[in-house]
Amino acid sequence: MCKFCDATRTALTRAPADTGGTSSGPANLAVPAGIGQPGRKTLIRGGSVLSMDPKVGNFAKGDVLIEGAKIRAVGANLDAGEAAVIDATGHVVMPGFIDTHHHQFETALRSILADAILVNDGRPESAANYYEWMLQKFSVLYRPEDVYISELFGSISQIDAGVTTVMDVSQIHHSPEHSDAAISALGDAGRRAVFGYFEGWGERAQYPTDARRIKAQHFASDDQLLTMVMGAEIYLPGYEAAWATGRELGIPLAMHIVGTFGMAPTFDALAEAGQFGPDCIFIHMTGMSDMAWQKAADAGAHVSLSVPIEMQMRHGLPPIQKCLDLGMLPSLSSDVECTMTADPFTQMRSAITLQRMFANNLALNGQDYPRLMSAMDAIEMATIGGAKGLRLDHKTGSLTPGKEADIVLLDANALNVAPLNHVPGAVVTLMERSNVATVICAGQVRKWRGAMLGHDLAKLRAELEASRDYLMDKAGVPQDLFRG
């Protein structure tokens, strides 16, 4: 169902609606043989190279040389000898996008809560809210096989959109089998992923103690595509045990910090007790005190923002400016597909337009205003910012020789982009998932000329629909495509 073909595999033929409509060439053109194999060199030639590494620089027309899983050189007119060649003419060549917070178990329930807010505020339109529906109605029904198909399909979908690294934040660990299913799916997808071990529900849930088994069984080596973080939610009774376990295992601590749920007093207490550190990943960070913010910045903690969701679901104002004012580089994340798309272009555009809206409003009122975010700033948050936040910047986040080859080729000849006049601007203000032509994860081609490789998408889609049908039936929710 999810095994990759050999080095000479060809792209699976897909319907026009699936291919994204790129102008990159025929979808069934074979991938050059041997790409990604140890010792095999591949030259990505003639693209507009956006490296995201100031020491490497950018090239209007440049090359990226890969050997096996690693980037070996970036520059103009590289001599690669007998390397396989990927012609990148008319494409932007850049590091893959990084999503630092995605509840992938919800893939089967995409858009079901498109109009929802976080918690019920008593109004009729808020009856179908995230807390009561997703966390109390649906999530408790998941079987391991439901976890697996949503995790796998969601991962493949994000590869299609150019996201080569994700932190999966699925609160679905009802048993060891649920956890193992999530890890298996993340691995079968073939991209870099950070498995978040968060809470589950029911008699067989073993959070947080099963973290030790999971770490030993699945994450004993740091030299693999999958790594692990510890879910350390401060709204859960006994959260101290999760913090202690994560630090015992030497893995980062990740948690939602949302003012809507009344977390500020606990967060303040942790700040004052000196509990923050560079191993902390704070998701959303809405409604927190200035004192706690300063302590987080001083400790080197990371902030992951989900700007469209924070605006849509009443988390509070996305604190982009707070991060920037404190010298913190936030990352961007998609959060929940039950409410909003998980593509990186939506995240980047939301972040830049919101920050500039606030700043521009101050300017129009004759007040001092902060520096306006640039397109390059948004890309930095979506690439190297995410890598640093997940403590993976030694492996990914930029096109730097020695790092692993997580690379996307974006079609700049497409109707919605051509002619290419400004690379960062085109990526942030013009592009969408249809422009993602080729995706390489650790040297392996996962998407080629607009088509995904190695998966029977029709079969997986049918399995996802069957999982959806099961969950909605068990939850007693009618499948009404036009529900108000």
Side-chain angles (χ1 to χ4, degrees):
M1 174 175 67
C2 52
K3 300 301 182 185
F4 292 98
C5 303
D6 60 23
T8 59
R9 62 184 177 259
T10 57
L12 295 173
T13 302
R14 298 195 291 168
D18 290 335
T19 62
T22 65
S23 59
S24 307
N28 61 355
L29 185 64
V31 180
I35 290 179
Q37 293 183 353
R40 177 59 159 150
K41 291 183 178 180
T42 302
L43 184 67
I44 302 173
R45 184 174 63 190
S48 298
V49 177
L50 178 62
S51 75
M52 300 311 298
D53 184 337
K55 294 181 180 179
V56 172
N58 302 317
F59 301 87
K61 186 174 183 180
D63 308 327
V64 179
L65 179 64
I66 303 169
E67 183 176 351
K70 298 292 184 74
I71 298 169
R72 292 306 181 198
V74 180
N77 301 312
L78 295 181
D79 182 6
E82 297 300 316
V85 174
I86 296 176
D87 184 2
T89 303
H91 290 74
V92 172
V93 181
M94 63 174 288
F97 298 106
I98 297 174
D99 182 344
T100 56
H101 160 226
H102 186 185
H103 298 253
Q104 291 195 162
F105 82 95
E106 298 173 10
T107 304
L109 299 173
R110 282 171 164 169
S111 79
I112 195 170
L113 294 174
D115 301 321
I117 59 174
L118 270 177
V119 295
N120 197 337
D121 63 0
R123 293 193 177 191
E125 65 268 25
S126 300
N129 59 84
Y130 184 83
Y131 182 75
E132 293 175 345
W133 273 50
M134 187 55 64
L135 297 185
Q136 296 187 325
K137 186 190 293 286
F138 283 114
S139 73
V140 296
L141 301 173
Y142 273 71
R143 304 162 297 177
E145 56 263 43
D146 300 309
V147 175
Y148 180 87
I149 188 59
S150 274
E151 292 277 5
L152 179 59
F153 204 91
S155 294
I156 296 169
S157 174
Q158 277 208 308
I159 294 172
D160 186 53
V163 179
T164 55
T165 302
V166 71
M167 180 170 79
D168 178 47
V169 184
S170 292
Q171 298 135 314
I172 202 66
H173 300 283
H174 307 329
S175 72
E177 291 78 17
H178 286 76
S179 300
D180 292 345
I183 295 165
S184 180
L186 293 173
D188 287 345
R191 66 166 171 170
R192 198 174 307 280
V194 179
F195 166 74
Y197 182 48
F198 283 72
E199 68 271 21
W201 315 104
E203 296 178 355
R204 300 199 63 235
Q206 296 185 25
Y207 171 87
T209 57
D210 199 35
R212 296 179 181 89
R213 175 196 67 86
I214 291 170
K215 178 71 163 58
Q217 181 175 336
H218 297 289
F219 303 99
S221 171
D222 292 330
D223 188 23
Q224 57 186 39
L225 279 175
L226 302 188
T227 54
M228 180 179 178
V229 303
M230 187 72 194
E233 303 286 23
I234 65 173
Y235 60 75
L236 293 176
Y239 69 85
E240 296 90 347
W243 282 57
T245 302
R247 285 180 164 159
E248 170 197 327
L249 296 174
I251 57 177
L253 308 176
M255 66 211 77
H256 297 83
I257 303 298
V258 185
T260 310
F261 287 104
M263 298 180 194
T266 303
F267 198 66
D268 279 351
L270 287 165
E272 290 172 338
Q275 291 299 304
F276 297 166
D279 59 347
C280 291
I281 302 170
F282 298 140
I283 300 166
H284 301 307
M285 272 291 280
T286 56
M288 297 301 114
S289 69
D290 289 343
M291 179 276 296
W293 266 101
Q294 189 63 59
K295 294 284 189 182
D298 292 344
H302 181 72
V303 174
S304 170
L305 301 178
S306 307
V307 178
I309 288 292
E310 288 152 6
M311 294 190 292
Q312 177 86 348
M313 297 182 71
R314 202 178 294 171
H315 290 66
L317 292 178
I320 303 173
Q321 196 59 54
K322 192 74 171 179
C323 291
L324 299 177
D325 289 346
L326 289 171
M328 304 173 78
L329 175 61
S331 60
L332 303 180
S333 65
S334 57
D335 202 349
V336 293
E337 283 193 277
C338 64
T339 302
M340 189 70 65
T341 179
D343 78 87
F345 305 99
T346 295
Q347 314 309 320
M348 290 188 292
R349 272 196 282 276
S350 296
I352 191 172
T353 53
L354 182 69
Q355 190 273 345
R356 292 175 70 103
M357 180 194 75
F358 283 127
N360 287 335
N361 191 57
L362 290 172
L364 289 171
N365 289 326
Q367 299 172 266
D368 287 338
Y369 61 93
R371 184 181 73 86
L372 298 177
M373 266 184 66
S374 68
M376 188 67 89
D377 293 330
I379 296 173
E380 185 179 21
M381 293 176 186
T383 55
I384 192 64
K388 289 178 177 178
L390 298 178
R391 300 170 75 175
L392 291 173
D393 52 308
H394 62 294
K395 287 188 175 183
T396 190
S398 64
L399 302 184
T400 301
K403 288 190 179 184
E404 297 193 16
D406 294 349
I407 302 171
V408 295
L409 276 65
L410 306 178
D411 186 358
N413 280 338
L415 285 170
N416 62 319
V417 178
L420 181 62
N421 295 312
H422 184 252
V423 168
V427 172
V428 174
T429 68
L430 297 178
M431 288 188 178
E432 57 191 49
R433 74 162 56 227
S434 69
N435 297 103
V436 180
T438 295
V439 179
I440 300 172
C441 301
Q444 299 291 325
V445 179
R446 300 305 189 199
K447 183 179 183 181
W448 177 249
R449 296 179 177 265
M452 297 299 297
L453 301 180
H455 297 281
D456 185 339
L457 298 182
K459 184 175 186 294
L460 293 179
R461 187 182 295 114
E463 292 174 2
L464 186 71
E465 291 170 349
S467 176
R468 183 269 321 272
D469 294 347
Y470 168 83
L471 293 169
M472 295 190 74
D473 177 65
K474 291 296 183 181
V477 176
Q479 292 194 37
D480 181 357
L481 294 181
F482 301 96
R483 177 171 54 85

